Amino acid sequence: MPRLTLFKKILVITLLLSLLPLMASSLILFFNLESTSARLTSEIGGTADTQASESLQMRATQVAESMADFLRHCENDLIFLSGSQLDQSTLLNFYASRRGEIWYRTGSASAPLEIREQVPLYRSIALIDKHGREQLVIRDGAVVPAAELKNVSVPARTKFLTEDYFTRVRTRPGKVYVSHLTGFHISKQDQLNGADEPEYAFDGKSYQGVIRLAAALFDARGFFNGVVVVSLDHRHLMEFTQHIDPGHNFSTVFPSYKSGNYAFMFDDEGWIITHPKYWDIRGLDASGHLIPPYSKNSVKSDIESGRIPFNLDHAGFIHPNYPLVADQVRKQKAGFVDTTNVGGARKIMAYAPIIFDSGDYERYGVFGGITIGFQLDQFQDAARKGSRLINLQLGEHRTRSGVILLITSLLAGFSAWRLSRGITRPLLQLTEGAHKLAEGDIHSRVAITSADEIGELGRTFNFMADELETRKTSLLATLEELQRSRIDILDERNFKTSILESISSAIITISPTGVLTSINGVGLSFLSCTVCLGEIYTDVFAAWPDVTSRIDTVLRTNQGYGREPLSRLIDGEMTYYDFGLFPIGSDAEMGLTVTLRNETERERLREETIRLDRLASLGKLSAGIAHEVRNPLTGISLLLDDLHDKPGFNAEDKEMLSKALSEIERVERLISALLSYSSPVRTAFREGDLTQVLKDILLFMRRQAEKQGVTLTVSYAPLPQFRFDPEKIRQALINILKNALEVLESGGVINVVTECHDTTVTVAINDNGPGICEQDLPLIFEPFFTRKGAGTGLGLSITQRIIEEHHGLLTVESDGLSGTTFRITLPLDNSPA
């Protein structure tokens, strides 16, 4: 915050004393006018809303009364007709004499024409006998030929396929029957015919519906003798609402649906029966069934095609007031509500009931209702005009007040400036000197021209400047020394950090209280977690219980320093570490250093060296056995064979000689396996079909499997041709399959499955035998390991070496209870180097 000088203080106080009362009074007056403007605008808007709503309601009531009179007039026409002599001449004269004006559009959107025309009230007049057969029908001013007359006692034969007006009149003779609006539905595409809005649709279809009015006819004895029916043309209903424009035009040939300024009529069931959008009017489908109303469950295809007639009772999801209006009309009440139409226009909607209780309308005593809608924003014109006038006057007042306030402020400011400058000028030189001193000019001094308080202040300022100059010189020398020391410390720290980060071991230091004080990058990677300096060692090594117990012992006893091996199981694999603890300072007074070095690779190299040494020893042993044992065994075998063939031996002696020969053959097989293992044939890679190799092997082994009651199941995946040694892979697969057959002595199942991946193929061989016990799993690939009395223990060792020569992987899964699965994975790319 800037310092408030004496000059500014005097200036501000003077201005406040002169301007504050004027500004306060102006602000109070301004806010009072703003509040008055808001109240007036609100009251004008509310009054305009009320008057407009009441005016709309009055107009809706007038239209509803006119519609009720019209319906009663039509009912009287029917009563008159039912009491007349009904012949062709009478019906034609009646048809021609009942007319009404229709105001409609023609032409095109670019060249519209308006036509007013007198057209018949009734689309048709029908005389029906007591059996339901039409006797005489006048339609569109002409007599319908006798061949086209129908039996309307069957609803399916009526014009709209489901009408039951004949049955309704016959079951209630003496009463006039008035039906609901009936007609086939007009879809959105039918009306628009390519236009964007209904008001621009000149070439589309029109709704062709009727309201049936029917009365019973009686003979001279008073018995039911037939029905007379007049069909009120729907166009005359449209005339009551189609031309209402509640805006400035008052009336129009066709209203704008998008504006929201239009009227519509609905019946006592909530269905819209007159509307600018013909697809909102209730209608039947091609089979004569009523199309379901538009609702929140309507499907997208029906909405897009306009197959959604509107029913106010189901339109609560558009606005909750639509069902309310339908309910109020059925209660014979008028009023107005706020609504939003399907097009999104917010409007006031006035409604009034059409009182009529004949035919289908006896239940509520209303034919339906008239609604007239008007956009909300147009109601506010008067309020907006009043608000603009008030704001204009308020703006003029603000301008005048601002001019007065500006002139007064200028005069007060000039007077305050003169007064402040006269008081503060003697202090300016001292202020300038202080600024120079603050900017670093320590040689700046002020001239002393008086002996008063200002002069004394000047002498004190000069003394302070001398002291600052002396101390600045001393401070600069001290800062130079500190900067050199800081550079040396940073260099030493960076040197130590570089050494620690370059070491392949984890270096971690812990304070005497067990708090982490430092850790290098290797340590962070070993711990595999986010650690923070200041954490307790038990949290840092939470996943290393052996380390925490050793650190705890050293911190408590100050004994146990040195290195020791440490192993951990990580992601299913054993990892080996060299772990060390060393004191920092005498008796660890400064803490401990913890070291960790990953020895896993060295341990693996050691195990591989042992394995190679063992294999080398095996090779030497095999060569010695082949040389020293095989030749004598061959001679013994020949001698025993000759003895076996000589006569003079009994059956028991020959059996013993046969057993001896069998044992010698088993020894020879063992020697052959040793020689094969110690001196393997060089792998010969070539393009081959692994699936065909498998098929050949399984064909070869299927007979043996059937003898043992073993079921072989195979699932071949499509495998590509790739490079491998077919003979060696054949040997490996036979070894695994023979082992599986040997454990299934009493029958079982062997499953063979092949799979192809992006870069590898897999062969899985599973049997449901007794499995391999857990302690034997690490040993099964070791040479000479076997649990079978007659086995050599080299089959799986040879198989593993063959798979390794193919740069593949051989794995085994077994829980010792439910069978064993061997899985061979071979790379698809075994290209020669």
Side-chain angles (χ1 to χ4, degrees):
M1 183 177 178
R3 184 173 61 89
L4 198 62
T5 63
L6 181 62
F7 174 79
K8 293 178 181 179
K9 289 178 181 178
I10 297 172
L11 183 63
V12 169
I13 291 173
T14 306
L15 289 174
L16 287 176
L17 290 174
S18 58
L19 296 179
L20 195 59
L22 179 62
M23 293 178 65
S25 62
S26 298
L27 287 173
I28 292 171
L29 180 59
F30 171 75
F31 285 121
N32 287 339
L33 288 175
E34 287 283 355
S35 175
T36 302
S37 172
R39 287 199 304 273
L40 284 174
T41 301
S42 176
E43 290 177 4
I44 292 171
T47 303
D49 288 351
T50 303
Q51 290 178 349
S53 300
E54 291 176 351
S55 175
L56 285 179
Q57 180 181 338
M58 184 181 300
R59 190 172 181 187
T61 302
Q62 291 172 350
V63 175
E65 291 174 352
S66 298
M67 181 63 195
D69 291 340
F70 176 73
L71 291 171
R72 284 189 287 272
H73 172 74
C74 294
E75 187 178 11
N76 291 333
D77 279 350
L78 179 66
I79 295 171
F80 167 77
L81 194 61
S82 65
S84 303
Q85 181 66 33
L86 298 178
D87 53 25
Q88 181 173 317
S89 175
T90 302
L91 294 181
L92 285 172
N93 289 334
F94 179 84
Y95 178 87
S97 63
R98 268 54 175 183
R99 291 179 175 272
E101 184 180 81
I102 300 295
W103 182 18
Y104 60 93
R105 305 177 302 174
T106 186
S108 63
S110 59
L113 296 176
E114 297 182 13
I115 295 178
R116 295 177 185 266
E117 181 182 359
Q118 293 288 329
V119 300
L121 288 179
Y122 305 108
R123 188 171 291 276
S124 67
I125 303 173
L127 179 62
I128 306 168
D129 66 16
K130 62 182 178 181
H131 300 294
R133 291 188 293 269
E134 294 177 333
Q135 299 298 306
L136 178 62
V137 176
I138 309 296
R139 184 179 297 128
D140 298 329
V143 178
V144 176
E148 297 180 14
L149 299 179
K150 303 175 181 178
N151 186 343
V152 296
S153 64
V154 179
R157 296 180 181 176
T158 59
K159 177 176 177 58
F160 298 109
L161 305 178
T162 54
E163 297 179 275
D164 61 351
Y165 53 85
F166 178 80
T167 304
R168 298 285 293 275
V169 173
R170 186 174 60 184
T171 55
R172 299 186 65 186
K175 289 193 175 183
V176 173
Y177 169 73
V178 184
S179 73
H180 284 97
L181 177 66
T182 306
F184 292 117
H185 184 256
I186 296 297
S187 69
K188 183 177 181 180
Q189 290 84 349
D190 290 339
Q191 181 184 1
L192 296 182
N193 195 24
D196 295 331
E197 296 292 337
E199 59 186 303
Y200 305 122
F202 283 76
D203 301 325
K205 293 182 180 179
S206 298
Y207 185 86
Q208 303 291 326
V210 296
I211 293 179
R212 308 283 191 189
L213 290 88
L217 300 176
F218 302 94
D219 59 16
R221 295 175 298 171
F223 293 113
F224 176 74
N225 196 36
V227 176
V228 61
V229 182
V230 294
S231 300
L232 179 61
D233 193 335
H234 173 260
R235 292 180 294 173
H236 293 286
L237 271 64
M238 292 288 288
E239 288 296 301
F240 283 91
T241 60
Q242 187 81 337
H243 309 306
I244 295 176
D245 184 357
H248 300 297
N249 297 326
F250 193 75
S251 65
T252 179
V253 64
F254 197 92
S256 169
Y257 169 76
K258 194 172 184 180
S259 70
N261 298 335
Y262 60 89
F264 66 85
M265 187 188 307
F266 62 94
D267 64 18
D268 64 332
E269 293 179 344
W271 290 98
I272 286 181
I273 57 176
T274 70
H275 197 279
K277 295 193 308 179
Y278 299 156
W279 64 87
D280 278 358
I281 299 174
R282 68 179 287 167
L284 309 175
D285 60 18
S287 60
H289 295 97
L290 195 62
I291 293 179
Y294 183 29
S295 69
K296 63 182 180 181
N297 298 320
S298 296
V299 297
K300 184 177 180 182
S301 59
D302 285 346
I303 296 173
E304 291 177 350
S305 65
R307 197 173 183 270
I308 46 172
F310 203 89
N311 188 306
L312 271 62
D313 290 324
H314 296 268
F317 72 102
I318 298 175
H319 198 285
N321 281 337
Y322 281 119
L324 175 65
V325 168
D327 185 62
Q328 290 294 306
V329 165
R330 283 191 283 265
K331 294 177 182 178
Q332 301 187 10
K333 294 182 180 180
F336 52 85
V337 294
D338 292 342
T339 61
T340 303
N341 68 4
V342 179
R346 294 187 65 248
K347 60 182 183 178
I348 290 289
M349 189 172 77
Y351 58 90
I354 303 169
I355 306 300
F356 187 74
D357 59 357
S358 296
D360 285 346
Y361 306 98
E362 289 180 341
R363 180 180 180 185
Y364 301 108
V366 295
F367 177 79
I370 298 291
T371 70
I372 303 177
F374 191 52
Q375 278 195 8
L376 281 174
D377 57 352
Q378 296 185 17
F379 279 178
Q380 306 295 330
D381 284 347
R384 284 193 290 269
K385 289 179 181 177
S387 178
R388 284 195 296 269
L389 181 60
I390 293 171
N391 289 333
L392 180 63
Q393 295 295 326
L394 187 61
E396 293 177 357
H397 170 75
R398 283 198 297 267
T399 302
R400 288 193 296 270
S401 299
V403 171
I404 294 172
L405 186 62
L406 177 61
I407 294 173
T408 305
S409 300
L410 291 175
L411 291 175
F414 178 74
S415 301
W417 178 80
R418 291 282 296 176
L419 177 63
S420 300
R421 185 170 177 80
I423 295 174
T424 60
R425 191 168 186 178
L427 299 176
L428 288 178
Q429 289 184 343
L430 183 61
T431 303
E432 290 176 358
H435 281 308
K436 290 180 180 180
L437 188 63
E439 292 171 356
D441 185 5
I442 59 176
H443 304 293
S444 175
R445 302 292 185 271
V446 297
I448 301 173
T449 57
S450 63
D452 56 10
E453 288 83 355
I454 300 297
E456 183 63 26
L457 183 60
R459 282 190 290 274
T460 302
F461 175 81
N462 289 338
F463 174 76
M464 179 186 67
D466 294 338
E467 286 294 318
L468 284 175
E469 185 174 4
T470 302
R471 294 186 182 185
K472 180 180 179 181
T473 303
S474 175
L475 182 61
L476 288 174
T478 303
L479 285 175
E480 287 184 10
E481 184 64 28
L482 287 175
Q483 185 67 21
R484 286 193 296 271
S485 299
R486 179 176 177 276
I487 292 173
D488 293 341
I489 292 171
L490 288 176
D491 288 344
E492 182 178 356
R493 187 190 68 182
N494 292 338
F495 175 72
K496 292 179 179 179
T497 300
S498 177
I499 291 175
L500 288 175
E501 292 299 329
S502 65
I503 295 175
S504 61
S505 300
I507 307 296
I508 304 165
T509 59
I510 299 174
S511 70
T513 59
V515 175
L516 177 69
T517 56
S518 71
I519 181 171
N520 66 349
V522 178
L524 290 172
S525 66
F526 280 2
L527 295 179
S528 300
C529 61
T530 303
V531 298
C532 300
L533 299 181
E535 289 189 29
I536 302 299
Y537 73 91
T538 54
D539 296 333
V540 175
F541 294 101
W544 302 64
D546 295 342
V547 174
T548 55
S549 62
R550 176 82 182 279
I551 294 174
D552 180 65
T553 302
V554 170
L555 288 176
R556 285 188 294 101
T557 64
N558 198 25
Q559 295 179 354
Y561 299 111
R563 299 182 182 276
E564 67 178 32
L566 176 68
S567 60
R568 291 188 69 229
L569 188 65
I570 300 176
D571 296 331
E573 294 186 3
M574 190 62 69
T575 305
Y576 301 91
Y577 296 93
D578 178 70
F579 166 64
L581 279 175
F582 305 96
I584 304 176
S586 177
D587 295 330
E589 62 183 9
M590 298 176 66
L592 298 174
T593 298
V594 180
T595 64
L596 279 171
R597 184 170 65 248
N598 193 328
E599 297 287 325
T600 303
E601 190 61 32
R602 180 178 296 177
E603 183 66 21
R604 289 175 180 168
L605 289 174
R606 185 183 68 80
E607 292 176 355
E608 184 64 21
T609 301
I610 293 171
R611 178 174 174 269
L612 292 175
D613 289 343
R614 186 171 56 196
L615 291 176
S617 300
L618 178 61
K620 292 178 181 179
L621 175 63
S622 300
I625 290 173
H627 185 267
E628 298 294 337
V629 177
R630 196 171 195 179
N631 291 336
L633 278 177
T634 301
I636 294 171
S637 176
L638 292 173
L639 290 174
L640 289 175
D641 192 38
D642 288 342
L643 286 174
H644 180 270
D645 294 337
K646 286 183 178 181
F649 290 99
N650 58 31
E652 184 178 353
D653 294 336
K654 288 186 176 183
E655 182 180 356
M656 291 181 65
L657 288 172
S658 296
K659 288 183 179 180
L661 286 170
S662 297
E663 289 300 314
I664 291 172
E665 287 177 359
R666 190 173 72 83
V667 173
E668 286 184 346
R669 286 197 302 271
L670 174 61
I671 293 171
S672 297
L674 285 171
L675 290 174
S676 175
Y677 186 75
S678 61
S679 302
V681 178
R682 181 178 179 83
T683 303
F685 288 98
R686 63 176 181 273
E687 290 285 335
D689 185 349
L690 182 58
T691 302
Q692 188 59 47
V693 172
L694 264 173
K695 289 180 179 179
D696 293 342
I697 294 172
L698 294 174
L699 180 64
F700 165 71
M701 304 194 72
R702 191 171 300 275
R703 184 176 298 277
Q704 179 64 30
E706 290 174 352
K707 288 181 179 180
Q708 295 182 212
V710 175
T711 302
L712 288 174
T713 64
V714 187
S715 175
Y716 293 118
L719 302 180
Q721 296 266 343
F722 67 100
R723 288 174 56 79
F724 66 96
D725 188 329
E727 297 304 324
K728 287 198 172 187
I729 293 298
R730 177 186 177 90
Q731 180 184 357
L733 292 170
I734 288 175
N735 287 344
I736 296 174
L737 286 167
K738 286 178 66 177
N739 286 347
L741 283 172
E742 288 173 359
V743 300
L744 299 174
E745 295 177 353
S746 302
V749 178
I750 298 176
N751 298 312
V752 181
V753 179
T754 64
E755 297 176 349
C756 183
H757 306 284
D758 291 339
T759 59
T760 61
V761 295
T762 302
V763 180
I765 301 173
N766 168 264
D767 66 71
N768 63 345
I772 303 171
C773 59
E774 184 177 355
Q775 59 268 29
D776 287 348
L777 280 174
L779 306 173
I780 61 173
F781 296 115
E782 294 295 327
F784 305 114
F785 176 80
T786 181
R787 293 295 184 190
K788 299 178 291 185
T792 63
L794 292 174
L796 288 179
S797 297
I798 294 171
T799 299
Q800 184 186 44
R801 188 178 63 201
I802 289 172
I803 301 305
E804 288 176 350
E805 289 174 353
H806 283 75
H807 311 293
L809 181 64
L810 175 61
T811 60
V812 60
E813 299 171 7
S814 182
D815 58 6
L817 295 174
S818 59
T820 304
T821 300
F822 283 88
R823 186 169 281 102
I824 298 174
T825 302
L826 298 174
L828 288 172
D829 184 10
N830 258 323
S831 302

